Amino acid sequence: MSPPPATIVATGTFFDGLSARPHPVTLRLGSRLEITGSGIREDWRLYDIRASETEPPTMRLALAGSPTRVEFTDEALSLGIEARCPDLRIDDEGRGGMLRLVLWSIAAGISVLLVAIYGVPAAAAIIAPLVPQEVETRFGAAVDGQVVSLLGDPPLCDGAAGKAVLDRLVTRMTEGAVLPGPLVVSVRRHTMANALTLPGARVIVLSDLIEKANTPDEFAGVLAHEIGHVAHRDPTQSVITAGGVSFLLSLILGDLTGSTVIVGVGQAAIAAGYSRNAERAADAYGVAMMLRAGGDGAALATILERIDKDAEKEGSPTGFLRSHPYTKERAATIRRLAGARRPDTGILSNEDWQALKGICSARTSKPGDAKPETPGK
Amino acid sequence: MSGAPLSRKGVIAFDRQTKGLTGIVVKGFLLSLITFGIYRFWYITNLRRYFWSRTVVAGSPGEYTGRGKELFLGFLVALAILVPVYLVLFAISFAVPSLAALAGPISFIFLFFLGQYAVYRGRRYRASRTLWRGIRLSQDGSAITYVGLALGWWLLTIVTLGIAFPWMRASLERYRINHTLIGESRMASTATGGMIVKPWLLLYVVGLGPLLISVLAFLIANKFSIPSDMMIPDPHKPGQLIFNPVYAGTPLARYGTVVGIVSAIFIPLAVLLFPYYRARETRAFMNAAALGASRLHSSLRARQFYWPYIIYFLTLIGFFVVFAIVVGIAMVIVASGGGDGGTFSGMHWLILLLIVPLYLAMLLAFAVLAVRIITVRLWRAVTDSTTFENVEALDAVLASSRRTASGLNEGLADALDVGGAIEIGF
Ligand SMILES: [Zn+2]
C-alpha cells in the first residue's frame, strides 16, 4: 500500500465474546482496524478480519479464530472493509473447492453406476453357484410367497388328472439333468401368458400360457426353457444382482431406509428379465432337453413368435421396443438348433394334453382380457 | 448509528426482501442434480447460513458457522454404521425366511429409535453451530434418554388412541428446551399438554374422532372378527383387491362402506386442520420458553400458517396450466408435422428434447417456490410474531467454554432422512 489509505470512521456495536452485552464503539479503518469504546481498545490486522453473512447494510466482522464480533451499518466503512481486507470471505466453496467437489461427486456417482451395471452382475455370477442348496431352497419358498402376492394371489391349479400329466412330463424331461434341488412346478390361474423361474428350482406357470399353447410341445418348450434357467441358477443370480444394484442406488440417492432394497428384490423376480446371454443359453438348454425327451425342439420358437405378435397387436411399448427384433433372432437360433422335425414326435398324447389343459378345472380364464407378455422371463 | 437501534430491541425480525435466496436454491438444485445429490450438504448449509443471518434477534443477526464438509463427513460415518446393519438384516431375511416376515416390524422399530436419536443429535449439531453476538448455543442432555422418552410417550399415545399426543409433544419440547443453552445460560420451558389440548381436541374430534368411531362401530358390529377373505383379488385386474361379493348386504359391507365414506371426508379435513394445530402449538411452546429472566412472547395466528400453503398451491396450479398448454401445443405440432406415425421422427425427438428440460425447469421452479413461499413465510410468521419480554436480561448471557459438537451428529439424520434443512420453531 504505497499511498496511505484514507481513514474511515463509523460507529458500531462490539461484542467481546464473553457476554452478550452490547458495547457502543467507534471503528476507525486505516491500515488496521481500531475499535474503541469505554474500556475497549481493539486493534485488528486487516488480514485477520473475517466477515460473516448478514443482510446488507448490516455488516458483522470477526477476528479470525476468536469469538469477538463487531456489527455496524455504515456503508462507507463496509465498502472500505471489502476493499482492504484480503481474506474477508474464506469458505468451502471458494478457491476452486466447489469445482473439485462437483467433479469428484460426478466421478464417484459414475463409478458406482458402472459397478451397479457391470460389477454387480459379474459378482452375482460368481456368488450364485456358491449359495448352499438348502439356503436357496428356503429362500425360494419365501420369494414364491412374495411373487404370488405381487401377482395378486392367483389360485393354484391342481386338477388331479392335469397335475399327474404335468408331473409325468416334468419327470421325463428332467431325467438325467443336473439341477440344484428337486424341481417344483406349480400352475396358477392368471391372465398372463408367462412362466416364472424362482430361486430354489421353482417354476410358476401362469395358466394363460397353457391356454395360448397350440400343441403340448409348445408348452413343454417353454417349460424346458425355464428349466434351463433353473439349471444355470439364473434366478438366484438375478435376485442377488437386483439386491446389490438397488442397495448401491439407494446409497447414491441417500435413501438408506432399506425400502428400495426390499422392493427391488421383489420386482426383479417379476419384471426384470435375464440378460440376452442367459436367455440364449436357456433356449439352447431347452431345445436340447426337448430333443432328448423326444419332443419338437422348434415349438418354443413358434409360441414365442405368437405371443410376441399378440403383444405387438396390443401396442404394448415393451413389445415394440424390446422383444420384437430380439424374438426374431431368438426364434431363428432355436430353429437352427432344433434341426428338422421328426414326423412321429409329440411330447404328449392327445388325451394327456387335454387333461393338462384342464388343470385349472372348468373355470378357465378368458384370453380376451389377457395382457400377454413374452415367456422369455 | 448503532448496530442495535433501540426501536428493534426485544424484537425478532426476518429479512423483508430475501434477496439472493433464489440464487442459493437454483445453485443448490442444479449442483445437487449433477453431483448425484452430494452437493445437498453444502446446499443445506448455505440455506441455514442465509436464514440464520437474516434473522435479527434484539438488533443482532444470528450466525450459522456449520460447514457442508462436516455434514458430508457425518453422512459418510452414518453410512459406515448403517450399511453393515442393513447387510446383516438382509442376510438374516435371506437365510432364515421365517424371520423375513418379522424383518419389516423389526426394522421399523429400529429405524424409529434411530430416527429419534438422529433428530436429537442433529439438533445438537445445529445448536453448536449457531452464534448470536459471538455467544455459542449448545445442547446437552442425552439422546438415549430422549429416545426412551419418545418411545414411552408414543406407546402411551397409541394406547390412548391419540389422546396423550399433546402431553407427549409438551414433554419432548420441555426436554429439548431445558437442555438448550445460550452460552452459559440454560433455557427453560414450562410447556404442558394442557396448553395445547384444546387445538388438539378440535383436530381430534373433527378430524380423527369420526374415523375412530366408525372403525370401532365396524369392529363391534362384526364382533371383532373380520373374515380373512373380506378382500379378494379382482378377477379382472390382477394385483388389485376388491370387496368379496359374498358379504354384500351383511353388516360387514354396511359398516365397511361407512368407514370408507367417513375416511374420505374426515382424513382430508384432519390434514386441513393440521396447520391450525401446528400454529397453536408453536405459539404455546414459544410462550412457555424463557432464558433466565427474559421470556419469549408469541402472537402467532393460525392464518399465518395457512397463507403460505394456499399461495403455494395456487402458484402450482398456475404452473401446471402453463405446462399443460405447452405440452398441448407440442402435441398439436407432432400431430400436424409427423404424419408417418409408428416410427420416431426427428420432430418427436425434438419435442422430447424440449419436454425434458421443461420438466426439469418445472421441478426447479417448484423448489424455488417451496423455499421462497412456504419456508420463508412460515419462518417469518414465527419470527415476526415473537418478541422478548425483559430483553435487558439477555445482555447478562455469558459465553461458555464447552466443547462444540462434531458434524458427525447430523450425518445419521441425513442418512435416515429425518429433520429438514430448515425447521420452523425452536
Ligand atoms: Zn427366459
Side-chain angles (χ1 to χ4, degrees):
Chain A
M1 293 178 198
S2 28
T7 304
I8 305 170
V9 182
T11 55
T13 313
F14 179 76
F15 301 98
D16 57 14
L18 301 172
S19 86
R21 183 178 307 282
H23 300 277
V25 288
T26 305
L27 295 101
R28 210 169 268 110
L29 175 68
S31 56
R32 295 170 81 88
L33 180 67
E34 289 171 32
I35 305 163
T36 49
S38 65
I40 291 154
R41 181 154 295 278
E42 295 270 331
D43 185 17
W44 292 0
R45 263 173 23 113
L46 297 185
Y47 288 101
D48 296 336
I49 294 178
R50 304 282 180 271
S52 63
E53 169 127 8
T54 42
E55 173 190 359
T58 301
M59 190 176 219
R60 173 174 47 208
L61 302 179
L63 191 62
S66 119
T68 50
R69 300 285 187 274
V70 62
E71 296 170 12
F72 59 89
T73 48
D74 188 275
E75 280 181 59
L77 182 60
S78 55
L79 286 175
I81 293 280
E82 295 276 1
R84 296 183 203 174
C85 300
D87 292 339
L88 196 59
R89 294 171 206 283
I90 298 181
D91 59 9
D92 285 358
E93 303 199 16
R95 299 197 288 206
M98 200 32 52
L99 183 66
R100 252 202 329 271
L101 170 76
V102 168
L103 293 179
W104 273 111
S105 314
I106 294 175
I110 289 173
S111 84
V112 172
L113 279 182
L114 288 179
V115 168
I117 296 169
Y118 299 105
V120 174
I126 297 168
I127 296 169
L130 303 179
V131 176
Q133 192 193 312
E134 54 189 293
V135 170
E136 192 181 318
T137 309
R138 273 184 294 175
F139 183 61
V143 172
D144 193 314
Q146 201 189 357
V147 165
V148 166
S149 79
L150 275 171
L151 287 171
D153 286 314
L156 197 65
C157 297
D158 48 4
K163 190 90 181 92
V165 173
L166 182 63
D167 286 346
R168 248 182 292 132
L169 177 66
V170 168
T171 313
R172 196 169 118 211
M173 283 166 68
T174 56
E175 211 172 0
V178 184
L179 295 178
L183 190 66
V184 182
V185 180
S186 56
V187 182
R188 287 185 179 269
R189 183 183 302 144
H190 202 281
T191 53
M192 204 199 287
N194 210 341
L196 311 157
T197 315
L198 309 181
R202 281 167 183 269
V203 177
I204 300 179
V205 176
L206 301 179
S207 62
D208 202 44
L209 180 70
I210 306 180
E211 204 72 32
K212 281 226 159 57
N214 283 352
T215 65
D217 292 75
E218 290 181 359
F219 168 72
V222 174
L223 195 57
H225 168 95
E226 298 300 330
I227 296 172
H229 284 310
V230 169
H232 301 139
R233 303 193 110 177
D234 289 336
T236 313
Q237 203 174 314
S238 135
V239 164
I240 294 173
T241 306
V245 166
S246 50
F247 187 73
L248 276 179
L249 293 186
S250 69
L251 272 192
I252 297 190
L253 301 174
D255 164 48
L256 260 183
T257 41
S259 48
T260 21
V261 179
I262 291 153
V263 171
V265 171
Q267 280 174 346
I270 287 198
Y274 305 115
S275 70
R276 293 190 177 192
N277 279 336
E279 293 300 351
R280 268 187 219 111
D283 283 344
Y285 186 98
V287 170
M289 176 174 270
M290 284 298 282
L291 294 178
R292 206 167 52 234
D296 176 11
L300 174 60
T302 319
I303 188 166
L304 264 182
E305 283 172 335
R306 179 167 343 108
I307 290 174
D308 191 52
K309 207 173 282 168
D310 286 355
E312 199 186 329
K313 223 183 290 167
E314 293 207 349
S316 92
T318 50
F320 171 67
L321 287 174
R322 189 177 58 93
S323 62
H324 187 63
Y326 177 36
T327 305
K328 252 186 201 159
E329 177 203 315
R330 268 177 78 186
T333 314
I334 292 167
R335 291 215 169 83
R336 187 164 44 74
L337 288 172
R341 189 184 172 176
R342 282 164 289 166
D344 57 331
T345 50
I347 197 129
L348 287 178
S349 70
N350 198 36
E351 307 98 84
D352 279 355
W353 177 228
Q354 290 313 320
L356 184 56
K357 283 199 125 181
I359 194 168
C360 282
S361 74
R363 274 177 50 199
T364 44
S365 54
K366 286 198 171 64
D369 51 19
K371 195 158 173 53
E373 291 187 7
T374 50
K377 164 70 205 169
Chain B
M1 284 247 332
S2 163
L6 275 171
S7 60
R8 299 182 89 181
K9 272 216 163 190
V11 173
I12 301 177
F14 187 68
D15 187 354
R16 287 275 135 207
Q17 285 140 15
T18 59
K19 264 189 215 150
L21 181 58
T22 305
I24 292 177
V25 180
V26 169
K27 182 180 170 194
F29 179 89
L30 294 177
L31 283 183
S32 296
L33 200 70
I34 61 166
T35 58
F36 297 90
I38 291 184
Y39 184 74
R40 70 179 178 277
F41 306 103
W42 282 263
Y43 173 36
I44 288 170
T45 302
N46 288 344
L47 271 184
R48 283 187 189 151
R49 193 184 300 129
Y50 187 91
F51 274 81
W52 266 235
S53 68
R54 262 59 175 181
T55 306
V56 179
V57 179
S60 296
E63 188 175 352
Y64 182 75
T65 58
R67 294 296 185 93
K69 208 189 291 176
E70 295 171 336
L71 291 184
F72 180 53
L73 283 178
F75 171 74
L76 289 184
V77 171
L79 277 194
I81 297 167
L82 285 178
V83 167
V85 170
Y86 280 116
L87 285 180
V88 166
L89 278 181
F90 185 67
I92 286 175
S93 62
F94 187 93
V96 193
S98 56
L99 284 183
L102 285 176
I106 287 174
S107 60
F108 179 81
I109 293 168
F110 175 72
L111 285 174
F112 174 83
F113 265 104
L114 224 52
Q116 293 294 322
Y117 185 83
V119 163
Y120 198 76
R121 295 290 294 254
R123 194 172 177 278
R124 182 172 156 196
Y125 169 79
R126 285 195 298 282
S128 74
R129 295 297 181 275
T130 302
L131 280 87
W132 177 72
R133 294 184 173 179
I135 306 288
R136 197 175 285 278
L137 272 62
S138 61
Q139 177 188 285
D140 57 8
S142 132
I144 300 281
T145 311
Y146 186 80
V147 170
L149 209 59
L151 187 75
W153 275 108
W154 267 112
L155 286 178
L156 194 65
T157 303
I158 291 165
V159 168
T160 58
L161 297 178
I163 300 287
F165 184 79
W167 284 271
M168 173 189 75
R169 296 286 299 172
S171 168
L172 294 179
E173 166 79 2
R174 279 198 308 274
Y175 192 86
R176 287 191 301 262
I177 294 293
N178 291 342
H179 291 94
T180 302
L181 296 104
I182 300 177
E184 285 281 281
S185 308
R186 187 175 291 276
M187 290 191 73
S189 171
T190 52
T192 61
M195 290 173 177
I196 45 167
V197 78
K198 263 193 225 159
W200 173 249
L201 278 183
L202 181 72
L203 178 67
Y204 194 83
V205 169
V206 177
L208 302 174
L211 198 62
L212 276 175
I213 292 171
S214 67
V215 170
L216 270 180
F218 172 77
L219 288 175
I220 291 168
N222 296 290
K223 300 182 181 63
F224 290 95
S225 61
I226 295 165
S228 57
D229 59 346
M230 183 177 83
M231 303 302 278
I232 52 164
D234 189 332
H236 300 289
K237 282 185 199 140
Q240 286 194 1
L241 293 176
I242 55 159
F243 189 77
N244 194 338
V246 173
Y247 295 105
T250 62
L252 194 69
R254 256 178 280 130
Y255 284 93
T257 316
V258 169
V259 170
I261 292 170
V262 166
S263 40
I265 296 171
F266 288 96
I267 289 179
L269 198 62
V271 170
L272 280 179
L273 274 173
F274 197 68
Y276 165 79
Y277 169 78
R278 275 312 297 265
R280 284 310 191 77
E281 189 198 81
T282 306
R283 188 171 82 187
F285 286 176
M286 281 290 194
N287 281 328
L291 182 73
S294 182
R295 295 202 71 85
L296 283 176
H297 177 77
S298 170
S299 57
L300 183 68
R301 318 281 317 188
R303 62 165 178 272
Q304 291 177 284
F305 267 30
Y306 277 100
W307 276 118
Y309 290 106
I310 293 172
I311 296 171
Y312 180 67
F313 283 116
L314 288 179
T315 324
L316 282 200
I317 291 169
F319 257 94
F320 275 119
V321 169
V322 170
F323 188 68
I325 289 172
V326 171
V327 171
I329 290 171
M331 301 277 254
V332 170
I333 293 171
V334 170
S336 59
D340 53 347
T343 54
F344 255 47
S345 68
M347 197 57 150
H348 286 78
W349 283 113
L350 192 69
I351 297 289
L352 204 66
L353 282 179
L354 282 175
I355 296 270
V356 170
L358 195 68
Y359 177 71
L360 283 178
M362 197 169 74
L363 287 185
L364 175 61
F366 288 174
V368 170
L369 289 174
V371 171
R372 286 208 72 107
I373 296 180
I374 296 184
T375 316
V376 164
R377 280 165 192 263
L378 290 183
W379 183 273
R380 185 182 289 144
V382 173
T383 55
D384 289 13
S385 65
T386 307
T387 51
F388 275 102
E389 285 168 8
N390 198 2
V391 69
E392 293 74 25
L394 286 182
D395 295 350
V397 168
L398 292 178
S400 144
S401 54
R402 244 167 250 276
R403 237 161 34 89
T404 59
S406 83
L408 306 185
N409 283 302
E410 204 173 340
L412 196 59
D414 186 87
L416 293 168
D417 205 13
V418 292
I422 302 291
E423 276 169 24
I424 311 297
F426 239 106

